[in-house]
Amino acid sequence: NLAAANLKRSNSFEQDRISYSNLYRSELTPHTSNASSSHAHNNDAALLNLPPECNDAMSHFCVRVRGNLRDELRAFLWQNGIDTATLFPFPAVADSAANPNAFRLTHEIIGLPLSNGLGEHNIRRICSLINRFAETHATISKQPQRAYLDRRVA
C-alpha cells in the first residue's frame, strides 16, 4: 500500500527536503538577512529573512518577507504558477495592539514548497522568480516596516 511504500522512502524524502532547503538558502541569500540575528527584524534593506540553519526535514521552507511586500510576492508567485502557504493567520479573537510581534509575524511569513520530487530545477525556478521580484522591488523593500504596522494595528 501507499503508506508502506512512503515509509520505506521516508529517508529519501527527508534528504530531498534538506537538499531543497539548502538550495533555497544558497539561491536566496542575496536578498536576505540572517533570521537568527537578534536584529534581523530591524534590517530595512533585506526583503527576506531565512530560518536558522537546521537539518530537520520540514513541510515548507518558511521565510519572513518584509510585511509591506508579502502579499504582493505571494500574488507574483501565484501568477507564475507557484503556490505558497501562510500557515498561521492571526487569530480574530486576539488583540493585535496587545500582541504586535505575533500580529506582525503572521503577516510576514511565506511557506515555500518543499514537496517530495519537486526537483532542484523547480526550486531554482522559484528562487529565480523571488530574486526577480526582489530586484524590481528593492526600493520598496527599504521602506520602514513600521509604516505597515501603523496601518494594520490600531
Side-chain angles (χ1 to χ4, degrees):
N1 76 25
L2 181 60
N6 283 342
L7 185 58
K8 288 179 185 177
R9 297 185 323 190
S10 64
N11 285 338
S12 172
F13 292 162
E14 180 180 14
Q15 290 305 312
D16 284 349
R17 289 171 186 245
I18 291 169
S19 174
Y20 298 160
S21 294
N22 291 335
L23 188 55
Y24 273 129
R25 189 174 304 285
S26 68
E27 295 286 321
L28 296 175
T29 297
H31 304 290
T32 65
S33 66
N34 183 350
S36 63
S37 164
S38 63
H39 301 292
H41 64 281
N42 293 327
N43 185 344
D44 289 339
L47 176 71
L48 304 173
N49 287 318
L50 300 180
E53 289 189 42
C54 70
N55 285 328
D56 296 330
M58 301 168 275
S59 62
H60 297 83
F61 186 79
C62 291
V63 297
R64 283 179 61 188
V65 180
R66 297 282 308 175
N68 58 344
L69 292 176
R70 192 230 17 204
D71 291 341
E72 190 175 347
L73 174 58
R74 286 192 73 215
F76 174 77
L77 291 172
W78 179 260
Q79 291 167 357
N80 285 280
I82 309 301
D83 190 14
T84 62
T86 55
L87 302 178
F88 303 102
F90 190 78
V93 297
D95 180 3
S96 59
N99 302 286
N101 291 333
F103 180 83
R104 184 186 72 246
L105 289 172
T106 60
H107 292 87
E108 294 178 347
I109 303 297
I110 291 180
L112 300 175
L114 277 178
S115 304
N116 298 323
L118 191 60
E120 287 187 8
H121 65 286
N122 285 315
I123 300 294
R124 288 184 197 284
R125 179 175 173 268
I126 294 167
C127 291
S128 175
L129 288 167
I130 293 170
N131 288 332
R132 185 170 64 184
F133 179 90
E135 289 164 7
T136 60
H137 290 75
T139 57
I140 296 171
S141 70
K142 293 180 183 177
Q143 293 176 355
Q145 193 165 323
R146 187 73 201 158
Y148 169 77
L149 286 175
D150 290 342
R151 287 193 312 267
R152 300 296 300 253
V153 179

